[in-house]
Amino acid sequence: MKSIDESDVGIFCYISQLPGFRGILKQRYSDFIVNEVDLEGTVVHLTSLEAPAELVEEKEVLVADQPNKNYDAEIGSFRALAGDFNADMLKALLDQTVSGGGVEIEPIVLSPSSDKSHRTAVHNFFKEKLKFLVTDTIDGPDATSKCIRVRLNGGKSHGRHSFKKRKDRDDKPYDGRGSDNWPEHLGKYLRFHLYKENKDTQEALGLIGKMLGIQPRSFGFAGTKDKRSISTQRVTVFKQRANRLAALNERLIGIKVGDFCHVNDGLLLGQLHGNRFTVTLRGVVAESEAVIEASANALGKLGFINYFGLQRFGSGSVPTHLIGATLLRGEWKNAVDMILDPREGEKEAVGKVREYYKDTGDIEGTLRQLPRHLVAERAILQRLKRSPGNYLQALKSIPRTLRMMYIHSYQSYLWNHAASMRVQKYGIDHVVLGDLVYCKEHCREAERGANYSEFEDGSSNDTSNHIDEISEADLPEEKDVTVKVITEEDLSAGTYTVDDVVLPLPGSKVIYPMNDIEEVYCDLAKKDAIGLTESVHAVKEFSITNITGAYRRVFLKPKEFEWELLTYKDGNIPLAETDMDLISKSQKLKNVRGEDCGNGKAGEQLIDNGRQSCVSAIMDSAEDEAGSDRAGSHQTEVYDSADIEESQKALRLSFTLPASGYATMAIRELLKTSTSVAFHKTLNP
């Protein structure tokens, strides 16, 4: 099966009838910049890499500070709790800790236990009696037991002692979620801004977590961002110091952290207003500049159809909505095969692992070769190893947010088709009888609830990558009271406009339009042998009748919309400033002030390998374009000093969308071409 195109998932229509033009989306990942917008409407930027000075330093209890302390009493208490064998191991660990000698101190692993209450008592013992030691739980020798691992707090070096490097430990990371001695004046969560280049959110946080020695679940964030982009977003982490994270900046490549502060609550999915996008389309070719101007202005004024973009359905040759349909039909083995089987378009190494499993059925050997980012595949195989043939349990072992993604993807597939039919049948200008709209008195509440915790635009929804989170808990609770069906009285009163029209994502608590659009849902679901009002199986989470559902606006207008036509010659020069460009430029300016500018070299110090100087020239020259007669736009020429390549045009767009909006669908409206990765690769020179 080939990779999907827009028509495969119901994306057919446009709002404007203007002609499109050629433009390459994401020729460079720096052509797609995403800045999160928080709930207060503030655009999130990385402005500082420094850790702020804190009023009170954490007073850790270090073994090195108490070299002569006797722990006989604590060991005696632990012996009564955990037995002689475990007590002897603890004594050896404590003796090694206080004795010195420069020996690397390894963690100890206590005897397996299947008694959770006993394990809890052991954890509490260390929290109360030996606070300089921390514990976490790891898998035991069988499926019913767990072991407690004990180590020095934070895995840091105390005096002359240190642990082995991470590469010398086993694969299970420590769960260092912080100490009970946290200062009362600091919030328990450190909030910071995460800047990343060409990495997805989970990948970046996974790397930071490894460096800190903490589990990925210690982090909180409001939404995932696209891998092929430069993005900045807020992240929280439990009980960590700003100076520890700031110290990582020297070692991190393509990732930076900064703008630290302590807060009382961690971030949850969906806690954002939206995203600010800066998108540069390169290699723009049109009949005339007037065509580009008319199309850009139309996008800002009229908006676009609020389709779920292709990212929603995965980037591989097995679309997530087809897996979702298989789950809704209760075909558990088929669903497992669709997730595990070889597929087109993947890297050769991944394809070989899939082929190996399909040919041999060797779970153990496949797991040894399977890349760790294949989360769903690993979870399924691990469960099948323990419970051969139990395909339903294998599917349920996939992290909930990921396995529900398949169902949500099918809902989105139905919604896209319904939206296309609404435009084709009733147009884009007026509400019609039977349309669904948000009730005016509930509009503000409804809009807040209707975000549906969508993937941030550009976030890869592919199951072969890290999980891009969706949470059903973020759905509005009472969707049936926030919408109404348009009546003749409403049409006469003119209370509602086409901007108020919504369509449902199928679920148990939604209503459908009382016109022909309802048939789209029923006909497509019936064709897929899926019932929207009753399920063919008893597994609730894989049934639309057990999902609440939601509503989504059919039409969306970008906010704070701006556009700019550029001329450039060197395709390797970025055409938009990033947060790190601004930080670097600020630092360069500080350095210049301290040097003799009379030697004629001060200006050269602002040039960072040709990267930021041209961008600075763009921004400076743009301020001089006051004579432009195009609102929110101007034209700038950007030339490389070599001046040897033929000049090309680029269109740079900046706009804000709600969390559920897809910037790629706005670009589609502008260009009137497909937004698929495969299509835009064909445009690259």
Side-chain angles (χ1 to χ4, degrees):
M1 182 184 293
K2 65 178 181 63
S3 297
I4 60 172
D5 201 359
E6 291 171 344
S7 60
D8 298 325
V9 291
I11 302 173
F12 298 108
C13 302
Y14 301 98
I15 286 183
S16 82
Q17 300 304 309
L18 294 169
F21 53 90
R22 181 187 186 274
I24 305 173
L25 177 63
K26 296 187 181 182
Q27 182 173 351
R28 298 167 54 94
Y29 65 78
S30 58
D31 292 339
F32 200 86
I33 300 173
V34 187
N35 290 85
E36 189 170 274
V37 180
D38 66 20
L39 290 175
E40 287 71 44
T42 303
V43 180
V44 176
H45 287 283
L46 184 70
T47 62
S48 172
L49 303 179
E50 305 300 322
E54 294 172 342
L55 297 177
V56 181
E57 291 297 323
E58 182 181 8
K59 296 180 179 179
E60 297 184 23
V61 180
L62 301 181
V63 176
D65 297 334
Q66 308 173 56
N68 299 317
K69 181 172 174 58
N70 186 294
Y71 293 101
D72 288 346
E74 288 82 354
I75 293 172
S77 298
F78 189 67
R79 192 178 302 277
L81 173 65
D84 292 340
F85 179 77
N86 290 325
D88 290 343
M89 281 199 296
L90 176 60
K91 184 178 184 304
L93 175 65
L94 293 173
D95 288 346
Q96 189 179 13
T97 303
V98 299
S99 65
V103 180
E104 288 188 341
I105 302 175
E106 297 187 11
I108 61 172
V109 178
L110 304 181
S111 301
S113 173
S114 58
D115 186 345
K116 185 175 181 179
S117 61
H118 179 262
R119 296 198 303 269
T120 301
V122 173
H123 286 301
N124 290 335
F125 170 86
F126 285 97
K127 289 180 180 179
E128 295 169 5
K129 304 287 188 183
L130 299 170
K131 294 182 179 181
F132 58 88
L133 298 177
V134 293
T135 58
D136 65 346
T137 302
I138 62 176
D139 291 334
D142 55 66
T144 62
S145 66
K146 301 285 185 181
C147 295
I148 292 177
R149 180 167 44 186
V150 184
R151 62 185 176 93
L152 284 175
N153 190 2
K156 295 180 287 187
S157 174
H158 294 272
R160 290 166 292 177
H161 306 299
S162 63
F163 277 123
K164 287 185 176 181
K165 295 181 179 179
R166 172 154 182 84
K167 66 181 181 180
D168 297 322
R169 305 177 194 157
D170 61 28
D171 290 334
K172 182 83 173 182
Y174 293 121
D175 186 17
R177 282 179 56 87
S179 141
D180 283 347
N181 298 322
W182 191 255
E184 293 183 2
H185 75 288
L186 291 180
K188 291 187 177 181
Y189 292 87
L190 176 67
R191 189 176 70 200
F192 61 94
H193 292 176
L194 170 67
Y195 169 96
K196 60 183 183 63
E197 298 183 352
N198 204 30
K199 291 179 175 58
D200 63 45
T201 301
Q202 302 258 358
E203 177 186 2
L205 293 181
L207 181 58
I208 293 171
K210 287 180 180 179
M211 289 182 170
L212 294 174
I214 61 175
Q215 294 276 26
R217 64 173 176 265
S218 298
F219 296 100
F221 51 91
T224 57
K225 311 301 175 190
D226 184 20
K227 175 178 180 178
R228 189 164 175 76
S229 71
I230 295 177
S231 67
T232 307
Q233 67 184 108
R234 299 161 302 148
V235 177
T236 55
V237 61
F238 186 69
K239 287 187 177 179
Q240 291 293 327
R241 289 291 191 157
N243 56 1
R244 288 197 70 200
L245 270 79
L248 301 180
N249 281 321
E250 294 183 358
R251 299 160 55 196
L252 290 167
I253 300 174
I255 303 171
K256 298 296 178 186
V257 293
D259 296 271
F260 303 99
C261 68
H262 286 281
V263 295
N264 292 324
D265 300 305
L267 280 169
L268 300 175
L269 288 165
Q271 290 183 335
L272 75 166
H273 175 74
N275 295 285
R276 179 74 179 168
F277 295 93
T278 303
V279 181
T280 303
L281 301 173
R282 292 180 182 260
V284 170
V285 178
E287 291 183 3
S288 66
E289 287 190 14
V291 170
I292 301 172
E293 179 178 347
S295 297
N297 288 336
L299 176 60
K301 181 179 179 180
L302 302 176
F304 57 97
I305 302 170
N306 195 21
Y307 286 124
F308 290 94
L310 289 177
Q311 305 94 316
R312 181 70 159 178
F313 306 96
S315 60
S317 60
V318 182
T320 52
H321 73 283
L322 295 184
I323 299 175
T326 306
L327 292 172
L328 292 169
R329 290 192 295 267
E331 299 171 1
W332 316 130
K333 185 179 185 304
N334 285 346
V336 167
D337 290 341
M338 292 176 76
I339 295 171
L340 295 180
D341 278 355
R343 54 184 68 178
E344 292 183 10
E346 284 191 314
K347 293 181 178 179
E348 182 179 356
V350 175
K352 287 183 178 179
V353 177
R354 293 187 186 277
E355 290 284 1
Y356 176 81
Y357 177 70
K358 188 174 181 64
D359 293 341
T360 67
D362 177 11
I363 294 178
E364 194 71 55
T366 303
L367 285 171
R368 284 195 298 269
Q369 304 175 60
L370 194 69
R372 290 205 165 272
H373 69 266
L374 298 179
V375 178
E377 289 85 344
R378 179 169 295 276
I380 287 174
L381 290 171
Q382 287 175 336
R383 174 58 65 177
L384 289 177
K385 178 182 174 182
R386 294 194 294 266
S387 306
N390 195 334
Y391 299 106
L392 175 58
Q393 288 304 313
L395 291 164
K396 284 187 172 183
S397 70
I398 300 172
R400 176 173 170 77
T401 49
L402 179 52
R403 66 179 185 261
M404 290 308 298
M405 177 192 70
Y406 302 123
I407 307 300
H408 293 152
S409 180
Y410 186 75
Q411 290 175 296
S412 305
Y413 165 79
L414 295 181
W415 191 96
N416 277 359
H417 279 279
S420 289
M421 181 59 71
R422 169 61 178 78
V423 173
Q424 290 171 345
K425 193 170 185 67
Y426 298 117
I428 62 170
D429 298 320
H430 307 287
V431 292
V432 299
L433 191 67
D435 269 341
L436 295 182
V437 294
Y438 282 131
C439 297
K440 289 294 185 180
E441 58 270 26
H442 298 299
C443 186
R444 184 172 299 175
E445 297 176 7
E447 188 159 14
R448 185 184 303 119
N451 283 341
Y452 189 57
S453 183
E454 306 300 349
F455 295 152
E456 307 306 330
D457 182 51
S459 64
S460 172
N461 213 3
D462 189 357
T463 58
S464 297
N465 292 316
H466 295 279
I467 304 170
D468 289 316
E469 303 283 355
I470 279 187
S471 174
E472 192 176 355
D474 293 318
L475 297 176
E477 294 181 357
E478 297 183 344
K479 302 168 200 59
D480 54 341
V481 302
T482 62
V483 301
K484 63 166 292 179
V485 179
I486 289 291
T487 63
E488 293 285 4
E489 291 77 9
D490 296 319
L491 294 177
S492 299
T495 307
Y496 296 93
T497 70
V498 73
D499 292 333
D500 300 314
V501 175
V502 300
L503 285 172
L505 289 130
S508 62
K509 292 187 178 180
V510 299
I511 59 174
Y512 292 87
M514 295 185 67
N515 52 35
D516 294 344
I517 307 306
E518 180 179 13
E519 297 177 7
V520 176
Y521 291 93
C522 299
D523 292 347
L524 279 176
K526 183 178 180 180
K527 181 181 177 182
D528 292 329
I530 293 168
L532 297 181
T533 57
E534 58 184 19
S535 178
V536 297
H537 56 76
V539 183
K540 290 184 177 181
E541 69 176 285
F542 296 143
S543 170
I544 282 184
T545 59
N546 193 59
I547 297 173
T548 309
Y551 298 99
R552 180 179 176 88
R553 292 187 186 276
V554 177
F555 305 103
L556 190 61
K557 293 180 181 179
K559 303 287 183 66
E560 294 89 38
F561 181 79
E562 301 171 348
W563 65 275
E564 178 179 3
L565 193 60
L566 309 173
T567 302
Y568 68 98
K569 289 193 175 182
D570 186 349
N572 294 317
I573 296 179
L575 299 178
E577 276 189 319
T578 68
D579 289 347
M580 276 304 299
D581 288 333
L582 293 172
I583 289 176
S584 298
K585 185 163 67 173
S586 174
Q587 187 60 50
K588 296 278 186 183
L589 288 172
K590 290 179 182 178
N591 293 340
V592 168
R593 291 192 188 104
E595 297 184 9
D596 181 12
C597 295
N599 59 12
K601 296 184 178 180
E604 295 176 9
Q605 294 171 1
L606 294 178
I607 301 176
D608 183 11
N609 295 326
R611 173 161 164 56
Q612 70 187 52
S613 57
C614 291
V615 178
S616 301
I618 294 173
M619 312 309 284
D620 294 338
S621 62
E623 295 175 358
D624 298 330
E625 293 288 333
S628 173
D629 60 355
R630 293 177 288 186
S633 68
H634 54 261
Q635 183 168 353
T636 306
E637 294 185 351
V638 186
Y639 294 140
D640 179 59
S641 57
D643 200 23
I644 59 174
E645 297 183 29
E646 183 180 352
S647 65
Q648 299 184 70
K649 291 190 180 299
L651 180 62
R652 187 171 65 205
L653 306 150
S654 298
F655 52 89
T656 301
L657 296 179
S660 59
Y662 284 77
T664 50
M665 293 297 97
I667 302 304
R668 174 183 178 274
E669 175 70 31
L670 186 72
L671 299 179
K672 302 296 191 296
T673 58
S674 172
T675 58
S676 72
V677 174
F679 174 78
H680 281 269
K681 281 183 177 179
T682 66
L683 302 180
N684 274 308

